[in-house]
Amino acid sequence: AQSVTQLGSHVSVSEGALVLLRCNYSSSVPPYLFWYVQYPNQGLQLLLKYTSAATLVKGINGFEAEFKKSETSFHLTKPSAHMSDAAEYFCAVSERSGGFKTIFGAGTRLFVKA
Amino acid sequence: DAGVTQSPTHLIKTRGQHVTLRCSPISGHKSVSWYQQVLGQGPQFIFQYYEKEERGRGNFPDRFSARQFPNYSSELNVNALLLGDSALYLCASSPEPIRNQPQHFGDGTRLSIL
């Protein structure tokens, strides 16, 4: 079975600072990886996805992620944090075993300080 | 176009009762999945339906059941409610159950068990 591990349940950055949210995956097959964002009292919104094309994936709202097979990582970054980026971020992997499903990490809550 | 819609948005039940949650996918999407998100955790996969057939089931007890209708909408049923069933229940849709397709989430139903 595939899995994802998000390092750090909480990350705090200052407005304008670099955002780095860490995700490591475990997969016996080439993975399909996603980052989703969840704002309070809302569902999940797709930020970006990796599907074996370019290893550097650009998403919405200035976020990007780099797939590194040697490190089994898919970390999410944004050069300059904005107050509106404060939310919960989930790394996820798509699995076909036992039916089509998405396996989510535990999430990282991003706080942005003024 | 309308996104994934879920009803009701909030629900309060007592232990032992039964609940039905409803989901309408994005127009043209034939695959619907259900997830349970307990406070502070990532979503956990419950069911996936495609073309009215169950295609995947997560590690949930038989008290949980679901079905998909000819118009691709779906219901999630939970019997004999327990306190631990309190969670945000998310519905997600995609055109087909293919690994490289992201899922589109509704805003969820917040279920509270007293």
Side-chain angles (χ1 to χ4, degrees):
Chain A
Q2 301 177 70
S3 65
V4 291
T5 301
Q6 293 184 241
L7 302 177
S9 59
H10 297 84
V11 170
S12 181
V13 300
S14 298
E15 192 173 22
L18 171 71
V19 175
L20 171 60
L21 304 182
R22 301 177 186 273
C23 172
N24 288 88
Y25 69 90
S26 172
S27 176
S28 59
V29 298
Y32 291 105
L33 297 161
F34 306 86
W35 274 99
Y36 289 87
V37 61
Q38 185 177 34
Y39 297 100
N41 300 314
Q42 293 186 23
L44 280 70
Q45 179 184 1
L46 179 71
L47 278 176
L48 49 82
K49 66 177 182 178
Y50 168 76
T51 58
S52 75
T55 57
L56 183 61
V57 182
K58 294 187 182 299
I60 63 172
N61 301 337
F63 284 93
E64 62 183 33
E66 185 173 9
F67 173 73
K68 292 186 177 180
K69 183 178 179 180
S70 60
E71 299 177 7
T72 62
S73 68
F74 190 57
H75 301 332
L76 182 71
T77 60
K78 182 174 181 178
S80 177
H82 191 273
M83 296 296 288
S84 61
D85 294 327
E88 186 94 23
Y89 291 80
F90 293 95
C91 182
V93 62
S94 178
E95 183 175 272
R96 189 74 184 167
S97 171
F100 166 70
K101 56 189 171 186
T102 301
I103 308 299
F104 288 88
T108 297
R109 181 163 295 278
L110 177 65
F111 297 92
V112 182
K113 301 174 291 185
Chain B
D1 287 341
V4 176
T5 57
Q6 294 186 241
S7 63
T9 55
H10 295 83
L11 202 52
I12 299 175
K13 292 285 188 179
T14 58
R15 284 177 295 175
Q17 285 189 311
H18 162 271
V19 68
T20 297
L21 310 181
R22 296 177 175 84
C23 171
S24 293
I26 291 173
S27 178
H29 286 194
K30 299 179 179 180
S31 175
V32 170
S33 298
W34 287 95
Y35 294 82
Q36 180 195 65
Q37 186 179 18
V38 174
L39 193 63
Q41 299 181 19
Q44 298 293 315
F45 172 75
I46 309 175
F47 287 111
Q48 190 257 328
Y49 276 77
Y50 177 63
E51 293 283 13
K52 304 185 293 295
E53 292 187 5
E54 181 184 304
R55 298 300 183 94
R57 173 186 286 255
N59 187 26
F60 280 79
D62 292 343
R63 300 185 295 107
F64 289 76
S65 63
R67 55 180 176 169
Q68 186 177 34
F69 300 98
N71 66 354
Y72 304 110
S73 67
S74 178
E75 285 182 352
L76 175 70
N77 296 282
V78 187
N79 294 322
L81 288 166
L82 303 173
L83 292 177
D85 295 331
S86 294
L88 180 68
Y89 288 85
L90 295 165
C91 175
S93 74
S94 62
E96 297 175 290
I98 300 175
R99 288 180 65 213
N100 65 352
Q101 285 185 354
Q103 297 192 64
H104 301 260
F105 285 82
D107 286 341
T109 294
R110 174 76 61 187
L111 176 62
S112 299
I113 310 302
L114 303 179

